[in-house]
Amino acid sequence: MQINYFIELLGGLALFLYGMEMMSSGLELVAGDKLRTVIEKMTSSFFKAILVGTFVTAIIQSSSATTVMVVGFVNAGLMTIYQAVGIIMGANIGTTITGQLVALNISTVAPIIAFVGFLLNTFSKNKKKRYVGQAVIGLGFLFMGMEFMSESMEPLRDYPGFVTMMTKFENPILGVLAGTAITAIIQSSSASLGILQAIANQGVIPLHSAMYIIFGFNIGTCITSVLSSVGSSKNAKRTALVHVLFNIIGTIIFVIISFIIPIDEVITNISRDLPAAQIANLHTLFNVTTTLLLFPFSRKLAELSFKIIPGIDREQEEMSLQFINKNVIKDAPATFTDVKAEIRRLLEVVTKNYEDSVSLLKNFDEEKYDEIFRREEAINYLNKEISSFIIDSLGLAMNEKTSANFAAYLRISRDMERIGDHSKNIAEVAKLKDDQKLEFTDKTFEELSELNAIIEKMFKSAMGELDKRDRDIFMRESNETVQKEASTFRNNHMLRMRQKICNPESGLLYEKTLAALERISSYISNASKLAN
């Protein structure tokens, strides 16, 4: 092959990929955030989820983008893995649209299409029309790149070595591996398919060889969703795994079928006499048929992902009730026992958040800071669910004492949530202190350490095994000590600032910390008095 043909191939490939990226980006901008809303909301049934996946992917021309969004939704808890399976299946159907567009073979008018898009994108005052123009430019570039690639590969028909190499892909394993590797590198099955269509249009690769490469494309495109799930929740990883399983199982099914039925001959008989069209139709047949075959087993696919990736995330564990079961009706005393156990668990989470927040004042750690805010979400969730359950339980038959206990624990849950808020405030002070490079004096840290020692003992004693009377006395005295010492420390700090020992900005942060500690002490004392 002459060097100019190779240069034309590279230029055509660049133009093709750039055009695809422009078209996909433009269409996504036209749709805006509505696509995310559609994905998030329109998944009440499995069939509807498939339609949504197909529709969204057909619009943005990227199954990878759709699956990445879905992995993100599952990771955020906005969607279940069972809903995600349907969207993934639909995305595999929607991604076939690009191949069908390429097969239209309208490369002769591609420059006109690109010019029309340029006019829209450049001269339109409407933002959405400009985005449409961008998509149209991309479409034109796509066809122009396709034409350049086809022309540059025309001489390959005369190279026996290249033709022989292409026929080797008739081996299913080699073909699938090649297709997987190509798409894993490019991270777009649509782009890989377009390149294959350009090669096929020159009669260099027979459909029987291209068939197995196409199957591999569908496996290779999973790499994007797999990468997006790295560092995410187990359910996000399971969602990416379902995408991989779906395409691997589909490939195995089609490879087996290819030994029984001449799929390439069937496609040739029902398609135009154009290799690009035949490849597009084979790609469509693969994805539609795989979805139809695996549709009844969608739940099984999700369950298989749970077996391969077992266990639950710490976040999932915290963001769920462990002792309260809303679906099981118990009598009032048994229900109260469950509520008490769940409150104890909430206290453990609140205590951990308090301890971590205070520790940040001396040694700030970004990871621990993020963990505090993640745990704060769990505290809010548990308070909401426990409170809701207690209110519903008040309708059970119970005596006055049990009713008073339920009411008391409703108050305790809310106090725990408020302690969580004040602990978060301390963490925010620590963050501000670190960002602004402010320092507390050794004396300031001594004072904070004194208050913290008292409050930590209060946490350990709260709802402990001490006699209620002894616990109430301890909590009252401890809280009074905290309030009194906080007031003394505040005056001491004012004196230090007048003597210019302390920075006024640091002083403001210290004041906020003292206020938070005072409130935490009061809430933990109140909660303990209510417990019995």
Side-chain angles (χ1 to χ4, degrees):
M1 182 188 287
Q2 295 177 9
I3 189 67
N4 59 311
Y5 286 118
F6 182 69
I7 292 172
E8 189 175 350
L9 172 63
L10 291 180
L13 177 61
L15 193 58
F16 178 84
L17 294 175
Y18 181 64
M20 182 164 288
E21 173 64 27
M22 275 194 78
M23 182 175 67
S24 177
S25 177
L27 290 170
E28 199 167 349
L29 287 169
V30 170
D33 291 332
K34 290 180 182 177
L35 289 181
R36 287 182 170 270
T37 305
V38 168
I39 291 177
E40 186 181 346
K41 303 292 184 186
M42 300 292 290
T43 51
S44 54
S45 72
F46 188 77
F47 180 69
K48 203 180 281 185
I50 290 179
L51 291 179
V52 168
T54 303
F55 170 73
V56 170
T57 308
I59 288 177
I60 64 177
Q61 297 287 296
S62 174
S63 61
S64 297
T66 304
T67 52
V68 166
M69 274 195 276
V70 170
V71 168
F73 282 136
V74 173
N75 187 54
L78 300 174
M79 181 183 295
T80 68
I81 190 169
Y82 298 103
Q83 292 172 313
V85 174
I87 295 177
I88 288 169
M89 288 184 173
N92 275 36
I93 296 174
T95 196
T96 63
I97 299 297
T98 309
Q100 295 294 346
L101 277 174
V102 171
L104 290 175
N105 197 27
I106 54 173
S107 54
T108 52
V109 294
I112 298 173
I113 294 173
F115 183 69
V116 170
F118 167 75
L119 293 176
L120 265 175
N121 184 254
T122 305
F123 299 108
S124 179
K125 293 181 180 179
N126 183 286
K127 188 179 288 187
K128 287 216 167 184
K129 287 182 181 178
R130 290 203 301 271
Y131 293 151
V132 170
Q134 178 181 326
V136 174
I137 292 173
L139 183 64
F141 283 177
L142 184 150
F143 284 115
M144 289 163 66
M146 182 78 177
E147 181 67 13
F148 288 158
M149 283 193 294
S150 292
E151 289 177 358
S152 68
M153 284 184 279
E154 187 174 351
L156 291 175
R157 291 180 298 184
D158 301 325
Y159 284 83
F162 188 80
V163 174
T164 302
M165 184 181 72
M166 289 294 104
T167 57
K168 286 185 179 179
F169 292 126
E170 290 182 3
N171 180 307
I173 296 175
L174 288 179
V176 170
L177 287 176
T180 301
I182 292 167
T183 309
I185 293 169
I186 299 177
Q187 293 196 31
S188 171
S189 60
S190 297
S192 302
L193 192 76
I195 294 168
L196 185 63
Q197 286 172 300
I199 296 173
N201 274 347
Q202 294 303 321
V204 177
I205 184 168
L207 184 61
H208 188 71
S209 297
M211 176 171 64
Y212 297 114
I213 297 174
I214 292 168
F215 299 162
F217 287 164
N218 287 275
I219 298 175
T221 195
C222 299
I223 188 67
T224 310
S225 58
V226 170
L227 290 174
S228 73
S229 71
V230 174
S232 301
S233 67
K234 287 184 183 291
N235 270 348
K237 291 183 175 70
R238 291 181 186 118
T239 304
L241 177 61
V242 165
H243 192 204
V244 175
L245 291 172
F246 176 76
N247 286 301
I248 288 178
I249 293 170
T251 296
I252 292 171
I253 290 171
F254 263 79
V255 168
I256 293 171
I257 291 174
S258 70
F259 289 116
I260 303 169
I261 301 170
I263 299 174
D264 53 325
E265 292 180 16
V266 173
I267 292 295
T268 302
N269 291 333
I270 63 172
S271 304
R272 288 179 290 148
D273 187 21
L274 179 71
Q278 294 165 6
I279 285 175
N281 290 339
L282 178 58
H283 187 229
T284 301
L285 177 70
F286 174 90
N287 286 289
V288 172
T289 305
T290 302
T291 299
L292 291 174
L293 290 174
L294 296 182
F295 175 85
F297 306 101
S298 56
R299 184 164 285 273
K300 293 293 182 185
L301 268 178
E303 290 171 358
L304 179 60
S305 73
F306 277 91
K307 289 181 180 178
I308 296 173
I309 305 177
I312 61 173
D313 292 301
R314 181 175 51 186
E315 292 87 346
Q316 284 179 273
E317 189 175 9
E318 289 177 354
M319 294 289 278
S320 61
L321 296 171
Q322 289 188 7
F323 299 99
I324 292 172
N325 188 340
K326 293 185 176 183
N327 298 317
V328 177
I329 299 174
K330 299 180 180 180
D331 59 19
T335 300
F336 180 68
T337 299
D338 292 344
V339 167
K340 195 168 183 177
E342 205 70 68
I343 288 284
R344 285 182 182 277
R345 178 170 160 254
L346 174 58
L347 175 62
E348 289 174 6
V349 180
V350 168
T351 302
K352 179 62 177 170
N353 243 25
Y354 166 75
E355 291 171 349
D356 282 355
S357 295
V358 172
S359 71
L360 289 182
L361 290 169
K362 200 156 194 175
N363 298 300
F364 186 80
D365 180 85
E366 193 74 42
E367 191 174 327
K368 187 181 284 188
Y369 178 79
D370 292 338
E371 185 77 0
I372 288 167
F373 275 76
R374 183 199 58 72
R375 213 181 283 123
E376 170 65 12
E377 290 182 15
I379 293 170
N380 292 337
Y381 170 83
L382 290 173
N383 169 56
K384 178 183 174 184
E385 292 298 312
I386 293 169
S387 298
S388 173
F389 181 75
I390 290 175
I391 291 169
D392 290 341
S393 299
L394 291 174
L396 296 172
M398 64 183 76
N399 57 34
E400 287 186 12
K401 182 179 179 182
T402 304
S403 177
N405 286 338
F406 272 112
Y409 272 74
L410 180 63
R411 174 73 180 274
I412 291 171
S413 178
R414 290 172 180 171
D415 284 345
M416 291 295 106
E417 191 272 333
R418 290 179 181 122
I419 291 172
D421 289 339
H422 288 292
S423 297
K424 182 184 70 173
N425 291 343
I426 293 174
E428 288 172 338
V429 164
K431 170 75 170 168
L432 198 59
K433 176 176 169 287
D434 184 71
D435 288 345
Q436 297 183 2
K437 302 290 187 269
L438 299 173
E439 295 294 337
F440 284 170
T441 63
D442 291 342
K443 187 62 180 176
T444 300
F445 277 121
E446 283 179 25
E447 292 170 349
L448 288 176
S449 182
E450 283 185 40
L451 294 179
N452 180 51
I454 298 169
I455 293 173
E456 282 191 348
K457 286 180 183 177
M458 293 175 74
F459 271 110
K460 288 176 183 176
S461 299
M463 299 175 64
E465 300 305 320
L466 280 176
D467 175 81
K468 184 179 186 313
R469 182 174 175 278
D470 291 341
R471 186 174 66 244
D472 286 349
I473 292 171
F474 171 77
M475 284 294 188
R476 184 182 69 251
E477 290 178 349
S478 297
N479 183 45
E480 287 173 356
T481 302
V482 168
Q483 306 303 320
K484 183 179 177 181
E485 289 200 356
S487 179
T488 301
F489 294 158
R490 191 174 281 112
N491 291 332
N492 291 345
H493 194 70
M494 291 295 293
L495 182 61
R496 288 196 294 270
M497 283 196 295
R498 278 199 294 269
Q499 294 172 346
K500 297 187 178 181
I501 297 173
C502 292
N503 185 321
E505 291 182 26
S506 298
L508 182 60
L509 296 183
Y510 183 50
E511 167 59 34
K512 288 181 178 180
T513 306
L514 288 176
L517 292 174
E518 285 176 309
R519 300 309 300 152
I520 289 170
S521 173
S522 296
Y523 282 125
I524 195 70
S525 177
N526 289 338
S528 178
K529 282 188 287 186
L530 290 165
N532 53 52

